[in-house]
Each structure stands twice: as structure tokens, then as C-alpha cells.
Amino acid sequence: MEAFATYTDLETRLNRVFTAPERTWVTALLADASTYLRDDVLGGQQIFPQSTSEFTAYPVGGWIDLPQHPVVDVLSVTRNGLNVAFTRRDDAVKINGDDAAVVTFTYGFATAPEMLKRWACVLVSQALIPLELKLGMTVGGLSSVALDDFKVSFASGAEQTGMELSQRNIDALRSMYGSSAFVTESR
């Protein structure tokens, strides 16, 4: 899956130019950061790059909720190979009948959202110093580096290891790009 950011995005943010071997390495780290954002933060939503998929489902009350978003276009809805009339509303389609239908739809952004590009860069940049010092990815949050009599100090480990966002940032990204369910009571 394509990363939200490129090494040139990170070079711009860090005011640094990476060598050719570093570019390969940073590209892999940005892919890791993007996977973390997609899978762990956004709950598996593949919001970039744009993709077309088929989804088979049984309508509930005539509605089929599509599993990925944002939905850009619904190309077709079929049953037994025949086109079915449908109405689209946001990330769902309404059809008649209760039998399974196949929905072919396009979802995702054509370009990575700036917020996700920025967070991928933040995750990689916070991992760069420990990695460049060959200390590994899970050594705890770096708190300071001293140059005379070389010294590296780390804050608490546990949740502050490797590539990770704070819970507040995770919640904000989930509300913007993740999926959620709402339950209402009917009388």
C-alpha cells in the first residue's frame, strides 16, 4: 500500500537532504508509519490511494453500508449479473429487495490528505535519531542527546516506544478519517 508521504516531504519538513541509501530506508519507514496510521489508528480504512472494489452484501432495510470510505463513486449494483436500480447516500446505497447484491464502488482520496502526510512524517522523524544511533525502534521516548562525552537519555518506555501517536491524536484522526458506528433507540 502506498505511503501517505514521500522522502521529499520529510526532507522539506526536516530541512535535510537524504542520501540515496537513506531515501530507500526513509521510504520504508514512511510505509511503516502509513501502515500504522491505516491499521492501528484508522481501523483498516484504506483512504489513500483511491481504489475500486466489489462488495457483496445483504441489504438491511434496503440499505447496504459500504465498508470503505470516502466513497467517490458507485459504479454498479448487480444481482445475479443483472443491474439493479440504486440510490446512493454518502457511503451507502439503497436498493429494493433482500437478496444479496454486488456493489462495485470507488473509494479513497486521489492524493494523501495533508494531515496524514504530516503525521507519517512526524512518526518517522521521532524514530530517526534512535535508528541513526543504531539503538532500535523500541527503546523508549528519546528525551535528550548530549554531544560532549556522548550521552543519550530516554524517557519512560512502554507506550512511548517506536512509532506511536498520543491517544488524543489517535482520537482526532479516527474522528476525521476512521469508521464508527452509531446506535440509536427506536420506539
Side-chain angles (χ1 to χ4, degrees):
M1 189 61 56
E2 196 171 332
F4 292 130
T6 65
Y7 70 84
T8 56
D9 295 321
L10 188 60
E11 285 179 336
T12 299
R13 285 167 172 82
L14 296 179
N15 194 26
R16 171 181 175 179
V17 176
F18 294 111
T19 64
E22 288 175 329
R23 288 177 178 170
T24 301
W25 175 53
V26 168
T27 298
L29 291 173
L30 287 165
D32 290 345
S34 297
T35 298
Y36 164 72
L37 289 168
R38 277 187 190 95
D39 294 350
D40 298 345
V41 175
L42 302 179
Q45 288 297 312
Q46 304 297 321
I47 63 171
F48 171 79
Q50 206 168 71
S51 184
T52 298
S53 183
E54 282 187 356
F55 176 64
T56 302
Y58 287 90
V60 176
W63 287 98
I64 297 176
D65 292 324
L66 300 174
Q68 293 286 332
H69 64 272
V71 173
V72 176
D73 192 20
V74 175
L75 305 171
S76 68
V77 178
T78 60
R79 245 190 211 125
N80 301 319
L82 300 173
N83 286 332
V84 174
F86 66 91
T87 303
R88 175 181 163 214
R89 184 174 301 149
D90 297 326
D91 296 342
V93 292
K94 184 170 179 72
I95 61 174
N96 291 324
D98 296 329
D99 294 334
V102 178
V103 181
T104 304
F105 67 105
T106 301
Y107 61 91
F109 295 102
T111 59
E114 285 299 317
M115 177 185 271
L116 295 174
K117 184 184 293 188
R118 183 179 69 245
W119 279 116
C121 289
V122 166
L123 289 167
V124 171
S125 68
Q126 77 183 21
L128 278 180
I129 289 177
L131 291 173
E132 287 176 333
L133 296 175
K134 301 193 184 326
L135 299 173
M137 290 185 77
T138 58
V139 292
L142 183 65
S143 64
S144 66
V145 176
L147 296 177
D148 292 333
D149 295 322
F150 183 74
K151 177 180 150 186
V152 178
S153 298
F154 293 90
S156 61
E159 292 182 1
Q160 297 178 355
T161 61
M163 292 187 199
E164 187 165 332
L165 297 177
S166 70
Q167 189 59 48
R168 179 176 116 347
N169 291 319
I170 289 171
D171 292 343
L173 285 169
R174 281 185 183 152
S175 72
M176 175 99 41
Y177 300 108
S179 61
S180 55
F182 297 95
V183 178
T184 59
E185 181 180 347
S186 66
R187 295 179 191 238

